[in-house]
Amino acid sequence: MDNTPLNSSFVLTMQVFDIPSVGKYPAFLLGIAIYFFSVLCNLAVLVVIVVERRLHTPMYIILFSLPLNDLIGITSVVPQVVLSILTERNMTYYPLCVFQAFLTHMYGGAVLLILTAMAFDRYIAICNPLRYNTIMTTHTVIKLIALVWGFDFILIGTLFVLLLRLPTCRNNISNVFCDNPSLLKLTCAATVVNNIYGLFITAVLQVISISAVIYTYIKILLTCLVKRQADARSKAINTCVSHLLVFVLFQFVSAFTILSYRFENISSNLRKITFMSLMLFPPLLNPLIYGLKTKEIRNTLMKVFKTRVLIK
């Protein structure tokens, strides 16, 4: 295509999964089942935190942002992808594509920042238990949550302001959903500034999250080792296991996805699957991990379930 800029509302062609006709409906049903199961699990965690007064503590108020963010991430991508499998329609409009890309990048950045805030909360609770209520006041928690979402919005918002200033002269999205790298490939202008800024915010988010988690959990481990009360030590470790599982899971999936960008010999379908795994597996597994590993949430869910059974 020539270098003539296209209209900002033009139609884009997206990639789709190469699924044989016989597998189209099973793939669609599987995708819809996974999506609704993930939505149900995340909503259950959100509702439990809202209705159970015992969970109105800093730890769970911060945790509330995680399933909320997971719902944003999975809803921004999965319905569109599974619908394209069923209808074999791979068209979208540029504004919708930009909006989807913005939500997916907001989701990725928010995961790391929320987990960092949760690590800070666990650090104060375990290493400074006597000062916990003084430090983690309602005002502090609100500021911490506002900082997480505000910082994420500024970083990602700037990324897309830089993107929207570029003219577009192509219309093929090289992914099954829209993201910043795919949108950059549509432009016929230089993308040096965008690439540098993209690497910058990736480095900032990774350095903040990884360094915070390593520092806080080294301090937590040292504190647990010197504690003489076995019950207190066991409770502290169990509290942190869920957080570490979620953090390691997201880092593993995101690293696998980023590496798939770098190797051209990876098959097209495998690359699409790695992209989808980043949007699918964390929102699917996070509520299961917290529901199973967090005693308060697990007990509340069991209590609600038993109540429902007795009523019926």
Side-chain angles (χ1 to χ4, degrees):
M1 181 174 290
D2 59 29
N3 290 339
T4 303
L6 299 173
N7 186 279
S8 62
S9 61
F10 69 93
V11 175
L12 300 176
T13 302
M14 307 178 69
Q15 290 193 4
V16 295
F17 283 102
D18 301 323
I19 299 175
S21 298
V22 68
K24 182 173 67 173
Y25 290 103
F28 170 76
L29 293 174
L30 177 62
I32 286 295
I34 292 174
Y35 171 70
F36 280 111
F37 180 73
S38 177
V39 168
L40 178 64
C41 291
N42 280 286
L43 283 176
V45 174
L46 289 176
V47 171
V48 165
I49 294 174
V50 170
V51 302
E52 185 59 49
R53 295 185 63 85
R54 293 184 301 108
L55 302 183
H56 294 177
T57 62
M59 173 183 172
Y60 294 103
I61 294 173
I62 297 172
L63 172 61
F64 185 86
S65 289
L66 191 62
L68 180 63
N69 185 56
D70 284 342
L71 285 173
I72 293 172
I74 196 170
T75 301
S76 67
V77 169
V78 176
Q80 172 255 309
V81 173
V82 296
L83 188 61
S84 69
I85 292 174
L86 179 66
T87 63
E88 299 181 355
R89 183 178 182 273
N90 61 341
M91 312 294 285
T92 187
Y93 289 100
Y94 182 77
L96 293 177
C97 190
V98 171
F99 183 63
Q100 182 185 54
F102 176 76
L103 290 180
T104 59
H105 285 269
M106 278 287 295
Y107 157 76
V111 170
L112 295 175
L113 294 174
I114 292 166
L115 294 177
T116 301
M118 292 172 66
F120 174 75
D121 173 77
R122 293 300 83 206
Y123 164 70
I124 300 298
I126 295 171
C127 299
N128 296 280
L130 298 179
R131 299 182 58 210
Y132 181 76
N133 291 330
T134 303
I135 297 173
M136 297 300 291
T137 62
T138 302
H139 185 61
T140 301
V141 173
I142 292 174
K143 288 197 298 184
L144 190 59
I145 294 172
L147 179 63
V148 165
W149 288 103
F151 186 57
D152 187 37
F153 182 81
I154 291 171
L155 286 180
I156 304 304
T158 304
L159 179 71
F160 281 85
V161 168
L162 292 174
L163 170 71
L164 291 174
R165 71 188 174 86
L166 299 174
T168 50
C169 55
R170 303 180 184 90
N171 63 354
N172 294 314
I173 294 291
S174 59
N175 201 348
V176 291
F177 62 88
C178 298
D179 57 1
N180 181 64
S182 299
L183 285 167
L184 280 180
K185 292 180 180 179
L186 302 181
T187 186
C188 46
T191 60
V192 176
V193 174
N194 299 70
N195 293 333
I196 292 174
Y197 182 75
L199 291 173
F200 168 75
I201 63 172
T202 301
V204 167
L205 290 170
Q206 289 292 339
V207 168
I208 290 175
S209 61
I210 293 175
S211 59
V213 168
I214 290 176
Y215 174 79
T216 55
Y217 276 88
I218 287 176
K219 300 288 285 187
I220 288 170
L221 178 61
L222 294 176
T223 301
C224 291
L225 289 176
V226 300
K227 277 189 175 181
R228 296 181 180 180
Q229 301 94 339
D231 290 343
R233 183 170 61 245
S234 176
K235 183 178 180 180
I237 293 174
N238 287 333
T239 302
C240 297
V241 165
S242 300
H243 178 268
L244 281 175
L245 280 175
V246 172
F247 184 79
V248 172
L249 169 69
F250 185 79
Q251 289 289 3
F252 175 78
V253 175
S254 59
F256 191 62
T257 304
I258 292 171
L259 286 175
S260 70
Y261 273 108
R262 305 293 179 232
F263 296 98
E264 296 296 332
N265 58 343
I266 293 179
S267 71
S268 176
N269 269 344
L270 180 59
R271 184 176 287 109
K272 295 170 190 174
I273 291 171
T274 61
F275 294 150
M276 284 299 299
S277 66
L278 184 62
M279 308 304 301
L280 195 62
F281 288 122
L284 176 64
L285 297 178
N286 287 351
L288 296 180
I289 292 173
Y290 277 104
L292 293 173
K293 294 297 296 181
T294 306
K295 181 180 178 181
E296 290 81 358
I297 293 178
R298 184 175 67 248
N299 289 346
T300 303
L301 287 172
M302 290 298 297
K303 183 173 67 175
V304 172
F305 178 76
K306 289 178 181 178
T307 303
R308 288 275 185 177
V309 172
L310 290 174
I311 290 176
K312 292 182 179 181

